[in-house]
Amino acid sequence: MANVKKTAPRLRKLSVYLYIPNIIGGFLWVFLIVYDYWLHGFDGIFHFYVVNVRYLSVMRVLGAFSFVCDAIDGWCARKFNQVSTFGAVLDMVTDRISTACLLVILSQVYRPGLVFVSLLALDIGSHWLQMYSTFLTGKTNHKDVKDSTNWLFKAYYGNRMFMGYCCVACEVVASTVRQGSPLSFLVALSLFGWAIKQTINVIQLTFYNGIVDSEVDQFETHMLLYA
């Protein structure tokens, strides 16, 4: 009986790792590592990145593949009832790494690079604050914004089609930066979504209030217990 009791938690833990969306998330980690290694395996890679049209096309295809996998894992989580806190964290971390890789490349290719580095800092900082603040309230998913009073924030996370458009728009703008016609029209359509996504990131920065409020509540509870 003792061995059975010890084995059961391990099996439950293993089952979470083997959730279909979490397997896809793990695959994306491997994909990003290979992608980054391959990217830096060329001599003079950043010059090659700019002047070789075929290489640009490959980069866009790989980026699109990563985005599709990211969308599929969310669908699988809901379809097979395999939503987990671990999966939510894995999904966000994978997204941040993917975005970071792209923005770091752009910061080396185009000037001023500080623009892309600033966007990278905003992306990571805002999402970290939101997720940490969300978990402090007892929620298991950072996309649960039912209690939010910001209409744009609720519209973004409450409508998957709208959120998907904004995310795709960011990828399009980033991967076609400084590209001329015939991509100009596509970029123009994507700029609105890109702007909305950056606005959402700025709104997420205000989640530091939730972290401070939680700390104040803990302090007041501590004072009451030892008063």
Side-chain angles (χ1 to χ4, degrees), residues 125-226:
S126 62
H127 282 83
W128 185 89
L129 283 171
Q130 183 198 356
M131 174 163 278
Y132 193 78
S133 176
T134 300
F135 287 162
L136 283 176
T137 63
K139 296 179 181 178
T140 59
N141 195 319
H142 66 282
K143 295 178 182 177
D144 183 356
V145 294
K146 296 177 182 177
D147 301 332
S148 176
T149 57
N150 189 291
W151 67 269
L152 182 59
F153 200 63
K154 294 181 73 172
Y156 177 79
Y157 279 109
N159 189 314
R160 296 188 183 279
M161 291 294 292
F162 181 55
M163 181 172 66
Y165 157 70
C166 292
C167 293
V168 171
C170 287
E171 297 292 330
V172 170
V173 171
S175 62
T176 57
V177 64
R178 287 198 178 184
Q179 299 296 309
S181 181
L183 295 175
S184 303
F185 180 68
L186 181 61
V187 173
L189 288 177
S190 303
L191 281 175
F192 175 74
W194 177 86
I196 293 294
K197 184 67 172 69
Q198 305 314 311
T199 302
I200 293 297
N201 286 346
V202 173
I203 294 173
Q204 287 174 324
L205 290 177
T206 63
F207 273 75
Y208 71 86
N209 286 317
I211 299 176
V212 174
D213 290 342
S214 177
E215 188 172 8
V216 170
D217 291 341
Q218 292 179 10
F219 176 77
E220 292 178 346
T221 301
H222 178 80
M223 294 299 292
L224 289 173
L225 289 175
Y226 293 95

Side-chain angles (χ1 to χ4, degrees), residues 1-9:
M1 286 296 293
N3 290 333
V4 173
K5 289 182 179 179
K6 290 181 179 179
T7 304

Side-chain angles (χ1 to χ4, degrees), residues 101-122:
C101 289
L102 179 59
L103 290 175
V104 166
I105 292 170
L106 293 177
S107 71
Q108 297 298 313
V109 174
Y110 300 116
R111 293 293 182 268
L114 182 61
V115 172
F116 301 103
V117 174
S118 299
L119 290 174
L120 172 58
L122 174 63

Side-chain angles (χ1 to χ4, degrees), residues 14-45:
L14 179 62
S15 68
V16 174
Y17 289 132
L18 295 179
Y19 280 177
I20 294 175
N22 295 345
I23 291 175
I24 295 175
F27 170 76
L28 276 176
W29 270 73
V30 175
F31 170 78
L32 288 172
I33 292 173
V34 174
Y35 171 84
D36 187 61
Y37 176 80
W38 176 65
L39 176 66
H40 290 85
F42 293 95
D43 293 329
I45 184 62

